[in-house]
Amino acid sequence: KAGVTQTPRYLIKTRGQQVTLSCSPISGHRSVSWYQQTPGQGLQFLFEYFSETQRNKGNFPGRFSGRQFSNSRSEMNVSTLELGDSALYLCASSLRTGNGEQYFGPGTRLTVT
Amino acid sequence: AQKVTQAQTEISVVEKEDVTLDCVYETRDTTYYLFWYKQPPSGELVFLIRRNSFDEQNEISGRYSWNFQKSTSSFNFTITASQVVDSAVYFCALTRGNTGKLIFGQGTTLQVKP
């Protein structure tokens, strides 16, 4: 089975711009979660989607949003980028929501200049 | 509130040494799940193990073993006869029974020298 794929792998944006990151889960997985990883804050949960519905949301400003499509693919969007948004954004998929094992993709490295 | 603490920021060992990575968690839930993930330099988090709060049996998988003790709220990870390929950042994580939100510790960087 193919693993979780994320596109693009690397991205450079300018402050004030917006960005959309994409995640394709493992085939058959219906739950997708997003995490932000920075040296200072570590790994922080952004949101979780299951069957196109947002199940949980972390403590991030409204500039961070996401959605999930009927084929379980997910996108996250960050508007009005700030320097502090520079991070590795990781997507994880799971068969079900809740206690399921989450399998991570390689991440998208976003640099905001 | 839930919290995971990995007090060891960095550990350096010589190949073939055994090494234990500590993980202490805090939660008021009776049903919860604990995880260990490995993050090699490539950046992708690799799932290692999941353990639910009702199963305190220790687990061994090859050179890896895990010790779960609810009495001390710890879920420690031991690598026996470490190898250079074990060099990575290791994360312990916690989630409640009804949510996929993983709460991660700060991670322990393990360096295994030849």
Side-chain angles (χ1 to χ4, degrees):
Chain A
K1 258 187 187 179
V4 177
T5 58
Q6 291 186 246
T7 57
R9 292 292 311 279
Y10 302 91
L11 207 48
I12 300 175
K13 289 286 188 179
T14 304
R15 264 182 308 176
Q17 288 186 315
Q18 76 165 28
V19 66
T20 299
L21 312 181
S22 180
C23 171
S24 293
I26 292 171
S27 177
H29 285 194
R30 295 169 61 192
S31 177
V32 173
S33 297
W34 288 89
Y35 294 83
Q36 180 197 64
Q37 186 176 24
T38 59
Q41 299 300 315
L43 279 156
Q44 293 186 288
F45 172 79
L46 280 157
F47 18 67
E48 177 196 10
Y49 288 89
F50 181 78
S51 293
E52 302 178 67
T53 301
Q54 187 179 88
R55 289 290 307 264
N56 290 287
K57 190 176 191 304
N59 295 326
F60 280 82
R63 301 185 296 106
F64 291 81
S65 63
R67 59 178 175 168
Q68 186 180 35
F69 302 96
S70 58
N71 62 359
S72 294
R73 192 177 69 84
S74 176
E75 287 181 349
M76 68 163 280
N77 184 277
V78 188
S79 62
T80 318
L81 285 166
E82 300 177 359
L83 294 178
D85 297 332
S86 295
L88 179 65
Y89 290 88
L90 292 161
C91 165
S93 80
S94 178
L95 266 175
R96 59 188 184 278
T97 188
N99 56 45
E101 298 157 12
Q102 295 185 30
Y103 296 91
F104 284 78
T108 294
R109 172 76 62 186
L110 171 65
T111 302
V112 182
T113 62
Chain B
Q2 297 184 307
K3 185 180 178 182
V4 176
T5 301
Q6 294 179 254
Q8 304 152 308
T9 306
E10 292 183 22
I11 300 176
S12 181
V13 299
V14 176
E15 210 171 16
K16 297 184 183 176
E17 281 186 37
D18 298 347
V19 57
T20 295
L21 309 182
D22 297 333
C23 173
V24 174
Y25 63 92
E26 295 175 28
T27 182
R28 293 181 181 177
D29 297 321
T30 54
T31 302
Y32 54 90
Y33 295 82
L34 295 163
F35 302 78
W36 275 96
Y37 282 88
K38 173 183 179 180
Q39 188 175 41
S42 61
E44 186 170 337
L45 282 165
V46 178
F47 168 82
L48 295 177
I49 189 171
R50 180 190 72 161
R51 173 67 73 217
N52 73 56
S53 53
F54 300 107
D55 182 3
E56 286 192 72
Q57 257 194 333
N58 292 332
E59 181 154 339
I60 298 174
S61 176
R63 297 184 297 106
Y64 296 170
S65 63
W66 291 269
N67 180 256
F68 176 28
Q69 290 194 334
K70 285 178 76 170
S71 60
T72 56
S73 297
S74 64
F75 186 43
N76 297 336
F77 172 32
T78 297
I79 302 175
T80 302
S82 60
Q83 299 176 1
V84 173
V85 293
D86 295 327
S87 297
V89 182
Y90 290 86
F91 291 95
C92 179
L94 166 72
T95 185
R96 307 175 80 173
N98 62 349
T99 171
K101 174 183 177 180
L102 283 168
I103 296 167
F104 286 90
Q106 286 299 97
T108 297
T109 300
L110 174 64
Q111 183 183 37
V112 181
K113 299 178 182 177

